[in-house]
Amino acid sequence: MYNQLRILWLRVENALNAPFGQTLNPWYHLGAIAFFLFWVVVVTGIYLYIFFRTGVRQAYDSVEYLTHAQRFYGGVMRSMHRYASDGMVATMLLHMVRNFATGRFRNFRWFSWVSGVLLIWLVYACGINGYWLVWDRLAQFIAVATTEWFGWLPLFSEPPARTFLLQGDVSDRFFTLLSFAHITLPLVLLLMMWVHTKRINSAETSPPRPLAVGTVLMLVALSLFKPAVSQGQADLALALNAIQIDWFFLAPYPVLYAASAGTLWFLVTVVTALLLFAPWLFRRRPAQLPVEVHLDNCNGCGRCFDDCPYSAIAMQPRQDGRPYELQPAVDASLCASCGICVGSCPFSMPFRTTELVSGLELPELSTALLRAQTDRALATLHGRPRVVVFGCDRGFDVHAIRSKTVATVSLPCIGMLPPTFIDYALRNSLADGVLVTGCREGDCHFRLGIHWIEQRLARERPPYLRQRVPEERLELCWADAPDQDRLSAGLASLRARVGALPGNPASEKGANGDRAQKPS
Ligand code: HEM
Ligand code: SF4
Ligand code: SF4
């Protein structure tokens, strides 16, 4: 069931990959877009604040002035402020569903997830508070509904809704308080957003430029074609009839009237509790063991520290008496067991004739075991052209394409693959080509694995792929579970290329005559 949800989600993502490509797919940048929309809300909010008056009467008038007298500045600013806030709700909720559907909420991710749940409350509080400030009919509805809702709690001696029964009871001072809250709450939200991404190395807090520009253009276009307007001044002496509500922020409010305040509290509490405890309720398999440091094979270069996607490594003063300044220390509670640090360590050298131990080792897949698996895979190759596929356990199951001429090795994350293993596989012509695959580009399960390996293989980031490895013998192809066609195309392209190279005549039989073996 859970796996079906994941596949369904991947198919939806794929539909967006067609127009946007894998790197610019907004689906892969939802957290960053939410962050960006926050800044749009802040900038437009500052403009609105310059003209906003905090008195009960003046509040409505000043917003009307902005909307109509300054249609192309204030009006657009107001509309962008509203639509960016709505967009923040939408992207935040999609970001949450995506992390859930792709299993990115359990184990070491619990902190990001739980802090994310708190963000939902804060975003809603900011938005509802903002609607209140306009003091139109919708604000009146929100004021009465919110106080009725909170009045259900046994915290108040007198129902707070009474405050809103008479126009005179809504004081200017109360409005000043609301305005103050509308500055304080976003500041708390920003602080919480910082906490939310604190454990994430190089968190993507701004989307790629084309997405940012596209988002702003969409907001401007929407603001011009459908400007945000008020719904008539609030009048507490009059009963409210038809008002239009903003479903992004106010979707729970109809429950108050369709059922009761108690029901809404019950629903909100259950949903919040389910979300908060989701990392433990939906735990599937025990967490992998964290990476271990082997100081005998470490020179303190700090590459593992730079590359760890979850800031699980800290560099500390050297303690083993060896002539290096620093040594890595792993915080096991933060470690994702992705192995990306193993891929970055200069000691992950399969050519070593002495015992192969890297500076960091995953207990469940040591570098020596990875070399043994590569050796075994290479030994199965017969016919030509022979290809080794290095893949990852999270993307397409590479073992499904194993055949006599295609050997496969799967790692926890493709970022764990030290570039020397590619050199190793091609040495002495044991293989004719190497295909490297993982999750979809822009969607690495461990965030940075694809990014780092692309840079290492392009010789832009250490450890560099050796110059002697011919580029034409290497193919990168990013494919997730439903992407067999893409992977097959990448494989066919590599086989055709290396088959045509001198010394590697393509054997028609070898190229086409193999039947894929069943994955073991
Ligand atoms: C204001 C709303 C939010 C913003 C601005 C935001 C932003 C971000 C950003 C920028 C990242 C880092 C992405 C990366 O670099 O890989 C992130 C990660 C994450 N967020 Fe959010 N987020 C928000 C709400 C939420 C919510 C509501 C949840 C779930 C309840 C959530 C769950 C997560 C998780 C689990 C990660 C870690 C993903 C991973 O390890 O790959 N976030 N968020
Ligand atoms: S295994 Fe992954 S999360 Fe753990 S220390 Fe290494 S790079 Fe960081
Ligand atoms: S990358 Fe390897 S050698 Fe460098 S600090 Fe980390 S463990 Fe030590």
Side-chain angles (χ1 to χ4, degrees), residues 54-281:
T54 51
V56 180
R57 216 146 251 299
Q58 297 90 323
Y60 179 81
D61 292 342
S62 61
V63 176
E64 283 297 281
Y65 166 77
L66 275 162
T67 313
H68 301 293
Q70 291 192 10
R71 194 169 164 234
F72 290 103
Y73 316 107
V76 169
M77 287 291 179
R78 179 191 180 185
S79 305
M80 284 181 73
H81 191 71
R82 177 181 292 185
Y83 294 137
S85 312
D86 287 345
M88 206 174 158
V89 173
T91 45
M92 171 183 73
L93 295 181
L94 280 172
H95 168 70
M96 176 183 77
V97 175
R98 175 170 185 272
N99 280 323
F100 182 78
T102 53
R104 291 169 205 186
F105 64 101
R106 313 185 180 93
N107 301 330
F108 67 95
R109 285 185 173 100
W110 73 267
F111 182 84
S112 303
W113 180 266
V114 171
S115 57
V117 177
L118 302 182
L119 279 175
I120 301 179
W121 271 92
L122 274 171
V123 168
Y124 271 88
C126 290
I128 291 169
N129 175 214
Y131 268 114
W132 205 321
L133 285 178
V134 179
W135 206 230
D136 65 347
R137 294 287 170 88
L138 179 60
Q140 180 180 341
F141 166 73
I142 291 171
V144 174
T146 309
T147 45
E148 274 180 13
W149 185 36
F150 276 78
W152 184 87
L153 296 172
L155 299 174
F156 304 93
S157 54
E158 194 178 323
R162 288 229 180 112
T163 316
F164 296 94
L165 293 181
L166 295 168
Q167 184 80 32
D169 283 343
V170 185
S171 67
D172 287 351
R173 193 183 296 173
F174 179 69
F175 247 77
T176 311
L177 190 73
L178 283 181
S179 317
F180 177 71
H182 205 51
I183 297 174
T184 317
L185 282 172
L187 285 176
V188 177
L189 175 63
L190 179 62
L191 179 74
M192 201 60 207
M193 279 157 58
W194 174 76
V195 170
H196 180 61
T197 48
K198 199 178 161 304
R199 283 193 174 188
I200 293 179
N201 184 9
S202 319
E204 195 205 13
T205 50
S206 44
R209 190 172 298 213
L211 283 184
V213 173
T215 307
V216 171
L217 289 179
M218 269 170 49
L219 288 173
V220 172
L222 197 58
S223 303
L224 287 172
F225 289 114
K226 197 172 181 334
V229 287
S230 303
Q231 298 187 40
Q233 186 157 18
D235 185 348
L236 292 164
L238 294 178
L240 286 169
N241 37 38
I243 45 159
Q244 286 180 337
I245 71 165
D246 175 342
W247 288 96
F248 288 97
F249 278 103
L250 305 173
Y253 277 66
V255 178
L256 266 177
Y257 299 102
S260 66
T263 313
L264 185 55
W265 273 118
F266 174 76
L267 287 176
V268 165
T269 312
V270 169
V271 171
T272 307
L274 274 177
L275 286 175
L276 277 176
F277 293 107
W280 297 276
L281 288 174

Side-chain angles (χ1 to χ4, degrees), residues 291 304 307-310 312-313 330 334-342 362:
V291 82
C304 52
D307 286 3
C308 172
Y310 293 104
I313 298 179
V330 175
L334 301 183
C335 178
S337 309
C338 60
I340 289 177
C341 51
V342 178
L362 276 183

Side-chain angles (χ1 to χ4, degrees), residues 360-497:
L360 293 141
E361 290 285 4
L362 276 183
E364 279 146 85
L365 181 61
S366 64
T367 331
L369 186 56
L370 180 61
R371 182 174 66 180
Q373 286 186 1
T374 308
D375 286 337
R376 270 202 301 277
L378 285 166
T380 63
L381 287 172
H382 300 288
R384 290 210 162 189
R386 301 149 307 161
V387 170
V388 184
V389 179
F390 288 105
C392 92
D393 300 342
R394 307 286 171 166
F396 183 84
D397 175 15
V398 290
H399 298 314
I401 53 163
R402 199 162 54 190
S403 73
K404 276 191 240 159
T405 54
V406 179
T408 53
V409 179
S410 189
L411 298 94
C413 171
I414 196 60
M416 181 185 173
L417 184 72
T420 38
F421 270 74
I422 294 173
D423 194 11
Y424 182 79
L426 292 172
R427 82 196 190 287
N428 303 330
S429 297
L430 288 177
D432 303 312
V434 172
L435 186 136
V436 173
T437 181
C439 312
R440 288 174 181 164
E441 197 173 18
D443 189 35
C444 174
H445 188 82
F446 295 108
R447 300 185 53 249
L448 301 174
I450 291 181
H451 202 49
W452 292 159
I453 195 152
E454 277 184 334
Q455 293 187 7
R456 290 173 193 156
L457 300 186
R459 304 179 178 107
E460 290 164 359
R461 184 182 190 86
Y464 305 107
L465 178 65
R466 285 190 177 156
Q467 289 295 345
R468 71 180 182 203
V469 175
E471 278 173 25
E472 59 274 23
R473 293 192 183 275
L474 183 60
E475 178 86 16
L476 306 190
C477 180
W478 307 117
D480 214 314
D483 305 330
Q484 172 143 19
D485 290 351
R486 190 180 304 143
L487 196 67
S488 301
L491 186 59
S493 150
L494 174 67
R495 284 162 63 109
R497 202 166 62 235

